[in-house]
Amino acid sequence: MSEFKDQWNLEMALEVLGNKTVDSKLWSEAVKWLLLYGPPQVREILQSASSNAINKHFPELKSDRYNEDGEPCYDMESLAKALGVESQELVEKMAKMEDELGERQIFDESETRKVQ
């Protein structure tokens, strides 16, 4: 976890985001770092942009549950279907991400709350 955290700083990540010629893998790593370790204002902007992109490109994907931090949680079957992958593959990739970043990505329904 700290390896990834130590690979970036705020200035570097923002510079990558502002570069129009950077490759998509590097750009996504900068965004991931900002979402995990960036200042609250930047995280809020990126989370809002992410929600807008999900609503636009995956209108059928709805979140009616949220974790204790207020972040939306999606049903794994619905998410896998929207992304066009097998649910087991999605679970494995998310578990790997959890391990690499030390950040929870998968929550049991009992750990979330429903918003009406």
Side-chain angles (χ1 to χ4, degrees), residues 5-52:
K5 182 178 184 178
D6 296 338
Q7 289 177 350
W8 294 87
N9 64 41
L10 179 60
E11 184 180 344
M12 290 168 51
L14 291 175
E15 186 174 323
V16 167
L17 259 59
N19 186 320
K20 294 181 181 181
T21 60
V22 72
D23 79 1
S24 60
K25 184 173 185 204
L26 183 60
W27 188 89
S28 69
E29 290 292 311
V31 170
K32 186 186 329 180
W33 188 90
L34 287 165
L35 283 167
L36 291 170
Y37 309 112
Q41 308 91 313
V42 173
R43 289 196 324 256
E44 187 177 316
I45 291 167
L46 291 173
Q47 289 167 342
S48 176
S50 175
S51 292
N52 289 337

Side-chain angles (χ1 to χ4, degrees), residues 28 36 48 56 58 60 83 86-87 109 111:
S28 69
L36 291 170
S48 176
K56 179 178 180 181
F58 302 100
E60 73 284 0
L83 295 173
E86 295 293 324
S87 59
E109 189 174 297
E111 298 175 288

Side-chain angles (χ1 to χ4, degrees), residues 59-78:
E60 73 284 0
L61 191 59
K62 302 293 181 203
S63 172
D64 64 349
R65 302 195 75 80
Y66 294 83
N67 68 16
E68 65 183 23
D69 294 327
E71 296 172 354
C73 296
Y74 297 91
D75 173 72
M76 294 296 270
E77 293 290 328
S78 301

Side-chain angles (χ1 to χ4, degrees), residues 58 60-65 72-98 103-109 111-112:
F58 302 100
E60 73 284 0
L61 191 59
K62 302 293 181 203
S63 172
D64 64 349
R65 302 195 75 80
C73 296
Y74 297 91
D75 173 72
M76 294 296 270
E77 293 290 328
S78 301
L79 185 57
K81 184 177 177 182
L83 295 173
V85 298
E86 295 293 324
S87 59
Q88 184 59 35
E89 179 184 354
L90 180 62
V91 169
E92 289 170 5
K93 285 183 178 187
M94 291 182 73
K96 182 179 177 187
M97 188 184 311
E98 279 186 339
E103 284 281 320
R104 290 205 51 208
Q105 302 294 313
I106 303 171
F107 296 89
D108 185 83
E109 189 174 297
E111 298 175 288
T112 63

